């Protein structure tokens, strides 16, 4: 019988962190979905997942509810849970357009405020992203990067001080949704890393000097770069490299 006792684990050779059974189960199922061990559209039952993950039903149910909130799992009356379909390229293309509008607007307002907490969050996220030198196709290879990338972009939106924008953006799980295409791509050779470094650095530099127009422009350029890296080319094309600029 599983419990919510905490255990010590290491993440990527880093410091020991404390994790609960519920968190471990959530990450295990999430990894199976993003790596497509559990295929898009595949039915998920508590009993089967309990056997696969070797735990009781309670943390499985908790994980499924959390994954549903992140749009990785869907539930239907009388049908139960299933893996959410992979987002269509047209949806992701529109999502990038929406992000450019929302993040650009928030940066235009937020960058001139030069809020220390926002700038510190962005700096910290970039430092952590820089530790991932190459963005592979497996969740364990890009997990830290997408978590920190999401934190970086959430900080941009939070800089505006607009509660509605902050809530809407947080519930999009935009970076996570985009990462669902990584499993269908092949790792690149690292040649695009500098472009990603420069894009994040330009956004941060604009926030540091309080230039809203430059921040908005840098965000739009960054997201257009992401569109080219993520959506251009057939499945099996290289995925973008990861990393952040030294700042």
């Amino acid at each position: 019988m599983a419990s919510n006792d905490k255990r010590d684990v290491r993440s990527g050779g880093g410091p020991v962190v404390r994790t609960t059974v519920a968190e471990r189960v959530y990450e295990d199922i999430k990894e199976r979905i993003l790596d497509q061990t559990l295929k898009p559209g595949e039915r998920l039952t508590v009993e089967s997942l309990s056997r696969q993950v070797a735990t009781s039903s309670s943390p499985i149910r908790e994980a499924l509810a959390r994954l549903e909130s992140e749009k990785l799992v869907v539930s239907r009356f009388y049908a139960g849970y299933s893996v959410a379909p992979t987002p269509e390229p047209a949806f992701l293309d529109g999502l990038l357009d929406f992000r450019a509008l929302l993040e650009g607007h928030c940066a235009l307002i937020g960058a001139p405020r030069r809020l220390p907490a926002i700038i510190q969050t962005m700096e910290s996220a970039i430092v952590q992203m820089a530790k991932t030198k190459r963005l592979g196709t497996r969740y364990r290879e890009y997990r830290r990067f997408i978590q920190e990338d999401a934190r970086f972009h959430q900080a941009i939106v939070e800089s505006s001080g607009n509660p509605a924008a902050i809530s809407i953006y947080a519930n999009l799980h935009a970076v996570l949704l985009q990462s669902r295409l990584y499993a269908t791509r092949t790792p690149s050779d690292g040649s695009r890393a500098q472009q990603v470094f420069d894009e994040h650095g330009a956004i941060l530099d604009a926030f540091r000097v309080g230039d809203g127009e430059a921040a908005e422009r840098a965000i739009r350029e960054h997201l257009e770069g992401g569109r080219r890296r993520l959506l251009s080319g057939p499945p099996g094309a290289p995925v973008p490299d990861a990393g952040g600029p030294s700042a």
Side-chain angles (χ1 to χ4, degrees):
M1 181 71 70
S3 70
N4 281 329
D5 293 342
K6 293 182 178 180
R7 66 176 65 180
D8 292 343
V9 298
R10 286 189 181 273
S11 176
V16 173
V17 295
R18 300 283 279 171
T19 185
T20 64
V21 170
E23 183 70 18
R24 175 182 62 80
V25 170
Y26 158 76
E27 285 291 341
D28 192 320
I29 299 174
K30 185 175 184 177
E31 179 178 4
R32 293 167 190 253
I33 291 172
L34 292 174
D35 288 351
Q36 296 194 8
T37 304
L38 294 170
K39 304 294 184 184
E42 183 173 340
R43 188 165 179 264
L44 303 173
T45 66
V46 172
E47 295 77 13
S48 175
L49 289 172
S50 293
R51 289 193 299 271
Q52 292 179 49
V53 184
T55 190
S56 65
S57 61
S58 294
I60 296 291
R61 295 181 189 280
E62 183 178 335
L64 289 173
R66 187 172 171 186
L67 291 164
E68 183 179 16
S69 74
E70 294 179 336
K71 303 177 176 62
L72 294 179
V73 162
V74 294
S75 65
R76 294 182 176 85
F77 287 118
Y78 307 115
Y81 288 101
S82 61
V83 178
T86 303
E88 293 291 334
F91 174 84
L92 294 176
D93 193 49
L95 178 60
L96 285 163
D97 284 340
F98 178 76
R99 288 184 61 189
L101 286 170
L102 181 60
E103 292 184 44
H105 174 73
C106 290
L108 188 64
I109 297 170
R113 301 174 74 190
R114 300 179 69 184
L115 298 173
I118 294 295
I119 294 173
Q120 289 169 10
T121 296
M122 295 170 71
E123 290 173 339
S124 171
I126 282 179
V127 168
Q128 293 302 314
M129 281 188 281
K131 295 178 181 178
T132 305
K133 302 302 181 184
R134 188 170 66 95
L135 195 57
T137 62
R138 311 293 291 181
Y139 176 57
R140 292 188 184 188
E141 296 173 323
Y142 62 76
R143 173 187 171 187
R144 176 168 54 190
F145 175 80
I146 65 170
Q147 288 174 340
E148 296 300 330
D149 194 26
R151 190 161 69 100
F152 181 89
H153 287 276
Q154 185 69 38
I156 292 171
V157 177
E158 290 180 359
S159 73
S160 69
N162 184 319
I166 292 167
S167 176
I168 289 168
Y169 190 84
N171 288 325
L172 277 178
H173 302 288
V175 174
L176 180 59
L177 287 176
Q178 290 168 205
S179 74
R180 294 199 67 191
L181 290 191
Y182 294 171
T184 67
R185 307 278 165 158
T186 56
S188 65
D189 60 5
S191 61
R192 303 185 194 181
Q194 189 60 51
Q195 183 180 4
V196 179
F197 296 162
D198 293 344
E199 289 167 1
H200 282 109
I203 296 168
L204 178 57
D205 287 346
F207 268 77
R208 282 172 169 161
V209 300
D211 189 334
E213 291 183 358
E216 179 186 27
R217 183 167 57 251
I219 286 167
R220 290 181 178 275
E221 290 173 356
H222 170 54
L223 293 175
E224 281 303 315
R227 191 196 309 271
R228 291 191 300 272
R229 290 186 293 269
L230 188 64
L231 297 178
S232 62
V239 295
D241 301 303
S246 54

